[in-house]
Structures are given as C-alpha cells and as structure tokens.
Amino acid sequence: MITAAGEKPLVSHSKDSAETPTLAESVYQRIRRNILEGRIMPGTRVSIRSLAESVGVSTMPTREALKRLSFEGLVEYDRRAVTISTLSPKAIRELFTIRLRLELLATEWALPRLDAETTVALRSVLDRMIVPGISAITWRELNREFHQTFYSCGDSRYLLELIHNIWDRIQPYMAIYASAMHDFTEADRQHEHMYQLMLARDLDGLLDATTRHLEHTAEAIVSALGADTTTGRGNNVNYEELSISSFHRLVESGGATSADLTAWYLDRIATLDSIDNPDGPQLNSVVTVNPAALDEARALDEKYARTGTLVGPLHGVPILIKDQGETKGIPTAFGSTAFADYIPDTDATVVDRLRKAGAVILGKTAMCDFAAGWFSFSSRTDHTKNPYDLDRETGGSSAGTAAAVTANLCLVGIGEDTGGSIRLPSSFTNLFGLRVTTGLVSRTGFSPLVHFQDTPGPMARNVSDLAAVLDVIVGYDPTDSYTALATSGPEVGDYGEALDGVDADTLSGFRVGVLTDAFGAGDDQELTNSVVRAAIDRLRHHGTGVVDGIVLGNLETWVAETSLYTIQSKFDLEKFLGSRRHTGPTTIREIVDHGDFHPLTDLLADIADGPSNPEDHPEYFKKRTRQEDWRRTLLAKMADAEIDFLVYPTVQVPVPTRADLAAKRWTALNFPTNTVIASQTSLPAMSIPVGFTDSGLPVGLEVVGRPLTERALLRFARAWELAEAPRRQPQIEASKARVTM
C-alpha cells in the first residue's frame, strides 16, 4: 500500500471521496486544509463572518465546520470569532513523544514488508524533495508522503489512523517550521540516511535514526516558534544551523539580508554569550564585537540591491575571527590582558581576503594567552564554557571560535592551529575543523607560536562551509614565503568544487588505516575509544576499506623528540611583538614576571625560560630533523598499507571539567591530544564529529592525509556527513537580554 506520487498526503475525515461533498463538508475541508497548511497560522483570531467570506459561503455552514474542527482540537470559537488553536513547546514535545512511540512501532511492522515497488516510490519522493528551489509547501507534503509511504507497508489501518491523527495536530506547526527553515539540507540528509538503512534492513539503525529525526524536528519547530521577531523581517527566519549556500539563496530570493542575519547573531551573542546577561549561560566565547558590523552588512545589502549580484563567494556572511588574527580598527589582544587596548592598523592577510570575498567581520573570539595551551583559560577572558556541558572546557586555543560556531553565534569561524588548536576544540564541540598542509594559508597578521607549524584555518558546522572558506583563504601571499606552496600544483584550490558528486557511497572509495598507538588506555580513554571504534565500524558498514593495527611504535617518544614549543615560541612571539606599534610589553619574560597571563596557561612560563635564539639550544636542530623523520615515517606507513588516511581519536580523553583543570589534573605538556601528530609533521588533518559519549560529550575522529590532500579530506568528511548526519546542535537557552545598536 503506497501513496501515489501526485496524491495529497493530508488525510481527510470526510465521507467516501467518490461522493459529491455537501456544502458543509466542502467548507469544513477548505478551512481545515487552510489550517493544516499554515495559511491560517496558530493563534490567529478572525471573525466567523470574515472566515465565511474567505471561503465564499454564509456563516451557517461555517459554524457547522467549526464545530467539527473544534472537536478535532484545531480551533476554539465563540459566537462571533474563531481562534486557531495554539500549542505550547511542552505540548509540541509531548505530541512528538507520542508520535515517536507510534512511528517506532510502525517502523518495526513496515520494514520486514518493504518491497521493491515501495523502495522505488520512496526514492522518487526523496529525489523530488531535493529539487533546487522547492517550495516549503511542496517539501512539507513530500515529507509526509515519504513517511506515509513507508509506514503503509505495515498494513495496519488502525496504527496509520493514530499516526495521521497526531500528524494533523502537528501539521500547522510543520507549516511554520517549513516556512521558517532557510533550507531543508539537514532534514533531507536525515531522510536519505533513513532510506539507506531501510535498504540495508537495519532495524536497530533505522529505529535510532527515526528517533533522532523526530527529536530534531520537534526542537526545530520549537526553535522556529521561539524565533525573535523584534529586530527585523529576517528574524522571522530560523537562522540556526544556517549554511553559506542556503543563506545566499535567502538573499537572492529576498528572504533575508546580511543586516538581518548580522543583527540576529549580535542579539544571540548578547543573549547566550555575554557575561553581562545574568539570565544567560554566559558562554564567554566572543571577546570583542565589531561595532561596525551592522553598517558593513547594510553596505553589502545596498550594493546587492543596486547590482543584483553577490560581491563575492562569502557575500554578507558574518564570521568570527580568533583574537590571534589582527583586525583593522578592532581590538586584537592575542588572549592577553596586556594587549587589551591594541588596535591594529591593518588586517591579517586571512581577514583581508575574507573581507574582499564579502564577509562581515562580526567580532573576535576568546583564546588562551598567546595561544600557548590546550584550553580556554585567558587573562583577557578567563574561560569559555562548552555549550554541550557548561561545567566543562571548550578546548583551545581556538576555544571561542569553537563555542561560537557550535552555538550558532556566527555562520562560520576562523581559528589557528599550531599543535592542534583548530582540531582539538572542534572535537570537543561537534564541529568540522581542518588544519591544512603548512604553507597553504598565510600566517601574516597572526601572532605566532611555532612559525613553521602555525596555520590559520576554518571551523564549521558542515563540510561545505569549510570548503567555501578554504577557497577564499588559501593562496600565495608575498608577505609569507611559506605560502609559495600554494602555487605548487593543481591539487591546490577548488575545494568547493571537489565536493560535487559526493554522496554517502563515496565512502566506499577510500581506505583508512587505524593508528593503534593513538588509542589511549584508561577509564577516561575508553569513553572516547568506544565512540571512535563504533565510528570505524560504521565506515566499514559504508564500504570504506579499513586496515587495522597500524603501529607507529613509541608515540610518546616521537611527540617529545619533535616538540619545539619551549625552544622556538619565545623567539617567534618576541619578534612579532617587536614589529608592532603598541604600548604593551615586548618580551615574554616581562609578561610572566608581571603576572599578565592566566595562571593555568602554564606553558607560557616555560616559554619565557626558552632561549633568545632557538638555534643556540643544543636540541634545536635535532628536533627539527626528527620532525622530518616522523613525517617520512608516517607517509611510509600510509604507502605500505596502501591507505588514503590514518585515523584515530582526535583527543584521547573526553572534554575535561574546569574543576579538573583547576586541580591541574592536566597541563599543557601532559594533556593526551593526538593533534600534535599532524602538527609536528606538517601534514593536513581534519577532526570530524563521530558521536557522543553516554553523558553527551562530543567526540572527534582525526583523519590525517598526505601533503596537499585537502580535497580528498573534504570529500571523505562530506561523505561521512551525508552518511551519518553527525551534527547535533547543543540545547542552550536563556532569557532575552536586548542589545542596543
């Protein structure tokens, strides 16, 4: 029993449709459909006379229809007026809980009876749902058709009637959700994932995916209902989990402007992030807001209104920059209270390229002092809370960018990675974070730590946004000779284009090797290991070739023999500070002696004790040589195993609590992060989200490739994203704290 492709999926409670309906029946159906399709929104109050006139009849048949609709719970009415019934967020969640119980049962009954005819029909529905420019109404009807087609396989009239009744109660809110959504990428991804599980006859996987799908839909509806409507027309749109491409479609369709989106993010920063809002979670990820952000966004909107053309690939995209990168006219403190008043005269090269591509610099994000650590603790901002657990760390040093991107305080963010400062916090916040081959992205204007390991890079909620930003910031910069690498061959660039044609099946074209040494031992480590091993099993399920048992041998020794932070960083930082016009200190010793750093940023004191000239240190050249040795060793492992990538946990343990860090359970030099493997060998690596611990903490899988294989890394990550839909938005709420512009 399947639904024909053109059939309306709304269920009628009328008599046999073959009979000519009475006037009262026709009026009932028309008003009912208007309510279910969202043409009359919940909470709307209209007179009975005007409602009758809208369907071209008198009030008598209208009153008869309203009696039936009232019995169904769709309206409330008195002698003169009618109000479309509203549901509270609690009621919506309750209905979705009931819906989930019914649909899990329907799934159990339907899957064993799924036949070839129905799979073809389901494929057709999914293909029509992803047609570019699809309307909200059409998508919503196809969404219902998809679920109804599958559940009909169970051949239970009574179960379907119960499900339809719940659907009808929710349908007006599905209309609000569908109209408010910027696009349906996440929902479409979930539907495709469910379809693949149906084909695989994976009941447990399908039950889990159905649960996640309905929970996501319920929260999306609640979010859409709660969207602020006081700061502009664009705020009627739900901007959470927005992507760059979907934002540009909104701009081109007239559905939103850059100023709309920028104002929405600024308001959200004030609500969820600001330490000045006592009713909010006070994430403390944004250290400085660009006071000109709205003006810059409006200027872009005016240019688009005149020309009808986007100014660049990042037109109007609000971006947050790690406070390590210099921004003209915006304070840049490098995480240090000693530089709180430093305002650069020029932009870092990365920032300049972002602006020229049309981006709006929304502000600067928190980081530990001079990026010298794995955590967020900073003399400038103290600490940044993890949106998934406010008592835990976000990870560093790109802590603010990670927390802000995952909490939807910006569209995309820029971090910087020397030892893992993009990938480590990405792992702890359910993000995609990419460290490119050292030299592809200019370091000019970013405070250094170890200049031959440093590289800025993007952090994003989805892979497509990562690629879009990468296309803008990769390239040769005459002020940074390392970027000559970006001119080396055809493997560089066209990162967005590399994602064309990628689907879940693309995973079957890759081979990965599991680096056994990088799995830690212990109770905390096992919490992470179990999630990563489950992800590797899912890769096998999707056809990825998996080579187990790749052994490096004595990982801790390799890390120690290639670590140069306490030898190189003092020289690099002092050279940088000495080249800037400012009134702050110029030596790390001066900063440490004056106590102008957070006491938990313990590495800074060790850096202050380092040599003035690193080449004078007896271990310097040996360590530089060992970095090259390690690089060749890893590449040989890949070649011998005939694999594309090495994989292992991004970090060996779950995100620590701030109490653990205050007690110094972990320090900069003993924290078990695997990100140093790629950093100290200058290889490209990405942390991809692969799941959560039982207590809800995000876990990342590190994927390391050969030099200049960023396109392959992106394709692999995108295929994983499509196959597993690993992104799960943190649930954070607060009372509103209005921000004055």
Side-chain angles (χ1 to χ4, degrees):
M1 176 180 172
I2 61 176
T3 304
E7 181 182 345
K8 290 285 187 181
L10 296 177
V11 176
S12 169
H13 294 277
S14 66
K15 301 176 182 178
D16 190 337
S17 59
E19 299 179 7
T20 301
T22 64
L23 178 61
E25 177 69 20
S26 177
V27 171
Y28 160 75
Q29 290 289 350
R30 291 177 65 185
I31 296 175
R32 187 173 187 275
R33 184 172 295 279
N34 285 341
I35 294 172
L36 294 182
E37 293 187 347
R39 293 188 174 95
I40 312 175
M41 300 296 284
T44 301
R45 182 172 174 82
V46 296
S47 70
I48 294 177
R49 182 173 299 280
S50 64
L51 186 61
E53 290 173 352
S54 71
V55 293
V57 298
S58 68
T59 58
M60 185 174 294
T62 302
R63 290 183 187 277
E64 291 183 31
L66 291 176
K67 289 179 183 178
R68 296 176 64 183
L69 294 170
S70 176
F71 179 76
E72 293 175 25
L74 293 176
V75 303
E76 301 169 7
Y77 78 101
D78 52 34
R79 293 177 58 189
R80 295 185 178 182
V82 58
T83 301
I84 309 305
S85 297
T86 59
L87 295 174
S88 67
K90 179 181 179 181
I92 290 171
R93 291 187 175 105
E94 181 178 337
L95 284 169
F96 265 90
T97 298
I98 298 169
R99 177 181 170 182
L100 177 60
R101 297 293 177 87
L102 294 174
E103 294 192 28
L104 291 180
L105 179 60
T107 298
E108 292 181 13
W109 289 0
L111 189 60
R113 299 188 178 193
L114 180 65
D115 56 26
E117 181 186 3
T118 306
T119 58
V120 170
L122 290 169
R123 179 73 268 166
S124 174
V125 174
L126 292 178
D127 289 343
R128 283 177 282 145
M129 291 178 78
I130 61 173
V131 171
I134 187 172
S135 71
I137 291 176
T138 301
W139 185 90
R140 192 173 70 247
E141 291 179 349
L142 289 170
N143 172 63
R144 184 159 176 166
E145 183 180 342
F146 174 78
H147 292 284
Q148 179 174 292
T149 298
F150 174 60
Y151 297 147
S152 294
C153 292
D155 200 25
S156 172
R157 167 189 170 188
Y158 304 109
L159 181 56
L160 283 179
E161 285 181 355
L162 290 171
I163 291 174
H164 289 154
N165 287 337
I166 292 293
W167 282 355
D168 287 348
R169 292 293 286 122
I170 296 170
Q171 192 70 15
Y173 296 87
M174 288 297 295
I176 294 172
Y177 158 70
S179 298
M181 287 296 289
H182 44 82
D183 71 3
F184 305 103
T185 302
E186 176 60 23
D188 289 339
R189 185 186 304 126
Q190 292 178 12
H191 285 133
E192 179 65 32
H193 180 49
M194 293 164 69
Y195 177 71
Q196 295 300 328
L197 293 169
M198 293 174 195
L199 296 182
R201 307 285 173 167
D202 183 350
L203 178 59
D204 290 341
L206 185 56
L207 292 173
D208 180 64
T210 300
T211 300
R212 292 172 61 182
H213 175 63
L214 293 183
E215 288 175 347
H216 169 268
T217 304
E219 293 308 315
I221 289 173
V222 170
S223 295
L225 288 175
D228 184 13
T229 59
T230 62
T231 60
R233 66 181 175 85
N235 284 328
N236 290 317
V237 180
N238 176 13
Y239 291 127
E240 292 181 4
E241 301 297 289
L242 187 68
S243 67
I244 292 172
S245 61
S246 55
F247 169 58
H248 284 164
R249 284 195 294 272
L250 277 176
V251 171
E252 292 171 334
S253 67
T257 66
S258 179
D260 291 334
L261 183 59
T262 299
W264 190 84
Y265 281 134
L266 290 172
D267 188 67
R268 192 168 171 88
I269 289 169
T271 302
L272 299 177
D273 196 72
S274 175
I275 60 174
D276 295 326
N277 178 17
D279 298 320
Q282 300 178 324
L283 296 178
N284 199 25
S285 67
V286 179
V287 59
T288 306
V289 169
N290 177 12
L294 265 180
D295 289 339
E296 292 171 8
R298 291 179 183 124
L300 288 165
D301 293 337
E302 291 170 5
K303 185 173 290 187
Y304 179 76
R306 291 196 311 270
T307 65
T309 303
L310 302 178
V311 303
L314 299 181
H315 174 98
V317 171
I319 291 181
L320 283 168
I321 309 292
K322 183 179 182 180
D323 206 25
Q324 190 174 352
E326 292 179 311
T327 42
K328 181 179 180 180
I330 307 172
T332 302
F334 315 114
S336 171
T337 188
F339 287 86
D341 298 324
Y342 171 58
I343 302 177
D345 297 325
T346 58
D347 283 325
T349 299
V350 165
V351 176
D352 180 62
R353 288 178 174 171
L354 292 171
R355 289 189 193 272
K356 288 176 179 176
V360 174
I361 306 304
L362 195 60
K364 309 297 290 295
T365 56
M367 57 181 282
C368 63
D369 293 78
F370 299 103
W374 303 121
F375 311 115
S376 69
F377 293 107
S378 161
S379 62
R380 180 83 170 94
T381 53
D382 196 16
H383 65 268
T384 299
K385 298 177 183 177
N386 192 311
Y388 291 91
D389 184 337
L390 300 181
D391 291 326
R392 293 183 182 266
E393 250 297 314
T394 297
S397 61
S398 304
T401 299
V405 173
T406 205
N408 285 276
L409 305 183
C410 59
L411 211 162
V412 71
I414 295 294
E416 190 278 340
D417 193 304
T418 301
S421 293
I422 285 175
R423 291 160 291 143
L424 185 152
S426 292
S427 173
F428 286 163
T429 55
N430 196 230
L431 295 178
F432 294 90
L434 175 63
R435 172 198 172 83
V436 298
T437 307
T438 309
L440 284 184
V441 177
S442 174
R443 302 157 301 163
T444 297
F446 274 72
S447 64
L449 194 61
V450 177
H451 72 271
F452 45 82
Q453 292 179 199
D454 298 336
T455 180
M459 302 166 73
R461 296 181 292 269
N462 63 76
V463 178
S464 296
D465 286 355
L466 211 65
V469 174
L470 208 60
D471 273 326
V472 169
I473 64 175
V474 165
Y476 176 63
D477 174 13
T479 67
D480 182 354
S481 62
Y482 273 55
T483 60
L485 179 71
T487 67
S488 61
E491 14 336 57
V492 178
D494 297 326
Y495 301 109
E497 185 178 304
L499 301 182
D500 292 347
V502 172
D503 58 21
D505 291 338
T506 303
L507 285 173
S508 64
F510 289 101
R511 281 171 58 86
V512 301
V514 182
L515 187 63
T516 305
D517 312 56
F519 288 73
D523 292 341
D524 287 336
Q525 287 82 347
E526 191 53 38
L527 295 173
T528 295
N529 292 345
S530 61
V531 177
V532 171
R533 291 189 184 109
I536 292 170
D537 285 341
R538 294 301 299 165
L539 286 172
R540 286 192 182 93
H541 172 80
H542 291 297
T544 304
V546 177
V547 179
D548 288 307
I550 304 291
V551 178
L552 178 63
N554 211 340
L555 176 60
E556 290 185 3
T557 299
W558 277 110
V559 171
E561 291 181 351
T562 57
S563 177
L564 283 137
Y565 306 98
T566 59
I567 297 175
Q568 183 72 46
S569 298
K570 176 180 176 179
F571 177 83
D572 287 349
L573 278 168
E574 292 182 354
K575 180 180 178 182
F576 176 84
L577 295 177
S579 68
R580 265 57 188 170
R581 291 188 297 177
H582 61 84
T583 58
T586 57
T587 68
I588 303 304
R589 171 54 58 196
E590 185 180 356
I591 293 169
V592 170
D593 288 349
H594 287 175
D596 289 336
F597 71 106
H598 195 287
L600 291 177
T601 308
D602 45 56
L603 182 59
L604 203 64
D606 294 327
I607 289 172
D609 292 334
S612 297
N613 184 345
E615 295 183 7
D616 292 338
H617 194 282
E619 294 289 312
Y620 176 74
F621 289 105
K622 179 181 177 181
K623 286 178 176 286
R624 292 295 302 271
T625 301
R626 288 298 282 166
Q627 286 197 347
E628 288 301 314
D629 290 343
W630 196 9
R631 176 187 173 100
R632 285 192 297 271
T633 298
L634 291 176
L635 293 176
K637 294 288 183 184
M638 294 185 203
D640 290 343
E642 298 181 341
I643 55 176
D644 299 293
F645 311 120
L646 289 168
V647 297
Y648 45 81
T650 307
V651 186
Q652 292 183 11
V653 295
V655 55
T657 64
R658 289 194 304 281
D660 280 344
L661 297 179
K664 298 190 176 181
R665 180 184 180 191
W666 303 113
T667 68
L669 294 178
N670 72 7
F671 188 62
T673 176
N674 289 321
T675 55
V676 293
I677 296 173
S679 294
Q680 290 169 205
T681 57
S682 293
L683 294 174
M686 185 187 301
S687 181
I688 64 175
V690 293
F692 294 79
T693 66
D694 290 342
S695 58
L697 302 177
V699 174
L701 176 76
E702 178 128 323
V703 187
V704 177
R706 295 175 176 83
L708 301 179
T709 55
E710 284 77 11
R711 287 199 298 224
L713 282 166
L714 289 164
R715 287 177 62 83
F716 179 82
R718 176 61 175 157
W720 171 261
E721 182 181 26
L722 291 171
E724 291 292 319
R727 170 70 184 160
R728 189 187 305 172
Q729 182 180 352
Q731 301 302 309
I732 45 177
E733 299 179 357
S735 302
K736 298 296 288 183
R738 303 304 306 165
V739 59
T740 302
M741 310 296 182

